[in-house]
Amino acid sequence: MSRVLNERIESIEKIAKSIYRMTVKSEYISANARPGQFANVKCSEGINALLRRPISICDVDKDRGTFDIVFQIKGIGTEYLSQKRVGSEVDLIGPLGSPFHISEEYKRIAVVGGGIGIFPLLYLLKEMKEADKSAFLGFRSSDYVVMTEEFESASDRLSISTDDGSMGYKGIITDLLAEDIADRGFDIIYTCGPMPMIRKVKDMAQKAGIKCQVSLEQRMGCGIGACLVCACKTGKPDNWEYSHVCKDGPVFWSDEVVLDD
Amino acid sequence: MTEKNIDLSVDIAGLKLENPVIGASGTFGFGREFADYMDLNRIGGISVKGLTLEKRQGNKPPRIAETPAGILNSVGLQNPGVKAFIENEIPFLRKFSTKIIANIAGNTIEDYCSMAEQLSDADIDAIELNVSCPNVKKGCVAFGNSTAGISEITGKVKKYCKKPLIVKLTPNVTDVKEIAVAAEDAGADAISLINTILGMAIDIHRKRPILANNVGGLSGPAVKPIAVRMVYEVASVVKIPVIGMGGISSGEDAVEFMLAGASAVMVGTANFINPTACVDVVEGIKNYLKMYNHSSVYEIIGKLQLN
């Protein structure tokens, strides 16, 4: 169950161009959050940036009772959030949404992240302690490459691509995934990032007969399933209905969502 | 004055509320979405998500855009349909003392009449006629933006409606007073207002509207002064009770509407930001009454003195 919480900010750090990492002290979230879930964060005090911002939980330290979120400044909400001070409180609701499906049956897993979509995958990798883990991370350019050391230590092998070739493989990350699907094979692929990438991963997994979970993004209102704005199609291409990313997702099985919009 | 001496109850044309705070339609789901965060017994009523005769999928996303001190939405009445509501949602809501208001919308007058008939036999407490949704292509606001339209639909639905009938008005008209009077004359038991104000927000980088539907309804603190003015105007020309809404997020906001003439208030957009907003508004009203030694909400309803 999620709760409305006022929690203390332990640290806030700029980790790349316009990208910030915030560590928040929260016994409740650290004890209850599962990989793939998010917190809905009130970024401002007043009536500007009125809505909360859904931000996925990137890391949890159960011993210290903290969790981390990483966000990119995209508008006034995240701008306000980046200006919060260590020691002050942040108003948030969490943990929210459906988590990634984790099972001991998944012996060989791949996570495929693009841009700011990589963050929920770190906590997932850390929680899947027994599996053999391949991480594929794609970025626009080296300016935006973040947290590679943590992904490296949380996985058995890490592949990086940039669109401009300024770091790692030049091209799209799914090229690297394609090679490994053929060579290694996976029991499950988890993906989060830009829609074209998610679509491609979904197709590749389907063709290879590999289970796949996708974490989707949509403009949200309440985050708790009441306002119905964050619609996404579930079902089959010719027989779908609108479900909602905040409550039914953000994580879905790739074969239950229709990604044609 | 002790707290137990403050009477928060109101009677809206036979709809008896323990307190004057109602979760506004479209912002409070079917109540269950908020049950993790608050005790639903603590609010006067819930106006459920707008119902249609058949299940609807609603509009394409994006369905929301944040604007200064407000939001634009174009959900487009996504709902499971009136039958599913009766079967699946009423039993849950009835576990609480909060009153159930069924908000109904349709393409045709016949749709509205059929729903009013079905809901009159269901275990609900009032019907809110939504003739003001700006986000659907057919019906709805087309009935609500003229005196002739509102008169016809209110009169016809009234014949099938055995529950108190609340008519919810759109602010997207030149003179809301004449619309309200037409609804009253046609048999409305109460008026609620305002629905959202039609608006548009543009993504200048893509040179396109943010909402897939291009336009949507504006709500939140940004609309409050417009809503207060309209509630005042309507309350001064009708004799039936008025339920006020538009940007209420605190007890103080609610008191403004009540002084302007609202017998009860609906809390909408604030629920999205703060899931306990309705309860906070109840407490805020109580604190205000205490501060000024009032023993009943009726001591402030319509008690505005103009300058």
Side-chain angles (χ1 to χ4, degrees):
Chain A
M1 195 173 100
S2 60
R3 285 189 188 164
V4 184
L5 302 160
N6 270 298
E7 306 291 40
R8 188 177 170 278
I9 298 169
E10 281 218 330
S11 73
I12 179 159
E13 185 194 351
K14 186 172 180 175
I15 58 170
K17 193 175 178 180
S18 73
I19 297 175
Y20 289 77
R21 177 176 190 156
M22 183 185 276
T23 302
V24 181
K25 181 89 179 164
S26 176
E27 297 293 343
Y28 188 78
I29 301 249
S30 63
N32 292 287
R34 293 159 68 194
Q37 292 189 298
F38 66 93
N40 212 6
V41 184
K42 186 83 183 92
C43 297
S44 71
E45 308 275 322
I47 54 174
N48 269 327
L50 192 64
L51 295 169
R52 292 171 182 273
R53 301 296 192 262
I55 304 177
S56 54
I57 292 164
C58 171
D59 200 3
V60 167
D61 187 331
K62 288 190 169 67
D63 297 333
R64 293 184 55 240
T66 63
F67 74 97
D68 286 20
I69 52 174
V70 181
F71 58 91
Q72 183 172 34
I73 295 183
K74 283 195 158 178
I76 51 166
T78 39
E79 174 94 49
Y80 281 128
L81 192 61
S82 73
Q83 291 161 3
K84 293 228 184 244
R85 299 284 176 89
V86 171
S88 67
E89 285 194 340
V90 60
D91 171 353
L92 53 93
I93 303 176
L96 291 165
S98 64
F100 288 112
H101 185 252
I102 295 177
S103 164
E104 284 174 5
E105 287 172 21
Y106 305 145
K107 308 285 186 208
R108 291 162 303 161
I109 70 155
V111 303
V112 186
I116 57 168
I118 70 168
F119 304 125
L121 302 173
L122 179 65
Y123 182 31
L124 174 67
L125 287 171
K126 288 191 175 184
E127 286 292 286
M128 298 196 76
K129 296 188 174 68
E130 305 302 322
D132 177 83
K133 298 171 280 192
S134 300
F136 300 87
L137 308 180
F139 302 93
R140 254 190 290 171
S141 74
S142 59
D143 287 348
Y144 297 93
V145 175
V146 286
M147 300 177 79
T148 48
E149 281 172 24
E150 277 165 280
F151 273 93
E152 194 146 30
S153 63
S155 62
D156 295 289
R157 63 201 66 79
L158 172 64
S159 307
I160 290 174
S161 73
T162 51
D163 297 347
D164 62 2
S166 52
M167 189 186 273
Y169 170 78
K170 182 180 178 182
I172 53 174
I173 194 66
T174 42
D175 293 349
L176 301 179
L177 175 70
E179 290 171 17
D180 265 26
I181 285 182
D183 296 349
R184 198 179 300 277
F186 299 107
D187 297 319
I188 188 167
I189 302 173
Y190 303 95
T191 186
C192 181
M195 187 52 81
M197 185 201 81
I198 290 182
R199 273 194 205 108
K200 188 132 193 191
V201 174
K202 174 185 163 157
D203 283 352
M204 291 165 73
Q206 195 172 359
K207 284 190 183 114
I210 300 171
K211 286 185 175 185
C212 178
Q213 286 208 305
V214 301
S215 177
L216 300 182
E217 196 179 31
Q218 184 50 270
R219 282 175 185 263
M220 280 187 197
C222 65
I224 61 171
C227 73
L228 310 182
V229 305
C230 55
C232 68
K233 288 180 182 175
T234 54
K236 300 288 164 212
D238 54 353
N239 181 25
W240 55 267
E241 61 176 15
Y242 277 131
S243 293
H244 296 94
V245 172
C246 72
K247 190 112 181 179
D248 306 307
V251 176
F252 295 90
W253 288 103
S254 65
D255 57 5
E256 65 177 349
V257 285
V258 181
L259 306 174
D260 58 359
D261 277 337
Chain B
M1 185 173 295
T2 58
E3 244 180 58
K4 60 183 165 191
N5 289 338
I6 295 178
D7 183 4
L8 289 174
S9 68
V10 288
D11 185 332
I12 310 286
L15 172 67
K16 293 187 172 59
L17 306 175
E18 281 177 33
N19 64 59
V21 178
I22 302 164
S25 179
T27 69
F28 214 75
F30 293 111
R32 62 172 84 234
E33 295 82 354
F34 290 83
D36 283 354
Y37 306 99
M38 61 182 276
D39 178 1
L40 296 179
N41 293 303
R42 292 182 63 194
I43 57 173
I46 294 171
S47 181
V48 302
K49 174 67 193 169
L51 301 167
T52 50
L53 204 50
E54 307 296 338
K55 177 180 176 156
R56 281 200 195 179
Q57 289 298 345
N59 293 331
K60 262 182 80 164
R63 296 175 172 184
I64 192 166
E66 191 177 77
T67 58
I71 58 168
L72 281 174
N73 89 80
S74 71
V75 172
L77 290 173
Q78 182 172 9
N79 80 97
V82 71
K83 282 194 182 69
F85 165 71
I86 292 170
E87 279 168 28
N88 305 329
E89 303 298 339
I90 294 177
F92 172 80
L93 283 169
R94 263 300 175 241
K95 294 187 206 160
F96 306 93
S97 61
T98 188
K99 292 295 192 292
I100 307 169
I101 302 171
N103 180 289
I104 60 171
N107 293 342
T108 64
I109 291 181
E110 290 70 33
D111 287 359
Y112 283 93
C113 291
S114 167
M115 281 188 280
E117 194 171 23
Q118 292 178 55
L119 287 161
S120 287
D121 294 330
D123 189 12
I124 57 152
D125 301 295
I127 291 175
E128 185 173 48
L129 199 61
N130 179 355
V131 283
S132 43
C133 176
N135 291 324
V136 288
K137 292 199 166 55
K138 281 194 280 183
C140 216
V141 76
F143 300 112
N145 61 13
S146 73
T147 52
I150 203 136
S151 181
E152 186 186 4
I153 196 162
T154 305
K156 286 191 172 155
V157 171
K158 180 71 181 171
K159 287 188 189 133
Y160 295 90
C161 183
K162 292 181 231 147
K163 310 276 182 182
L165 180 64
I166 303 162
V167 178
K168 185 171 182 177
L169 303 186
T170 173
N172 304 310
V173 292
T174 309
D175 183 2
V176 73
K177 295 190 294 297
E178 61 177 28
I179 306 282
V181 169
E184 180 180 37
D185 290 346
D189 298 305
I191 299 282
S192 60
L193 78 164
I194 61 174
N195 205 319
T196 54
I197 300 172
L198 198 59
M200 182 188 253
I202 294 170
D203 178 342
I204 59 167
H205 305 293
R206 293 173 56 242
K207 298 186 171 68
R208 284 172 176 272
I210 294 173
L211 298 176
N213 191 45
N214 297 323
V215 295
L218 180 66
S219 63
V223 311
K224 198 186 77 175
I226 298 170
V228 171
R229 185 264 299 172
M230 288 193 159
V231 165
Y232 171 75
E233 286 182 344
V234 167
S236 35
V237 295
V238 298
K239 293 180 195 69
I240 51 177
V242 174
I243 302 171
M245 81 194 91
I248 296 173
S249 51
S250 68
E252 288 87 345
D253 293 340
V255 168
E256 275 195 61
F257 281 84
M258 299 187 82
L259 288 170
S263 300
V265 295
M266 288 179 170
V267 175
T269 303
N271 298 311
F272 297 162
I273 296 118
N274 172 14
T276 65
C278 285
V279 173
D280 298 347
V281 172
V282 174
E283 290 305 308
I285 294 170
K286 206 190 278 178
N287 289 339
Y288 176 84
L289 295 174
K290 219 185 294 181
M291 187 168 35
Y292 290 98
N293 286 319
H294 294 301
S295 57
S296 155
V297 280
Y298 283 99
E299 291 173 27
I300 64 168
I301 295 168
K303 293 297 157 48
L304 176 72
Q305 291 179 301
L306 289 186
N307 299 318

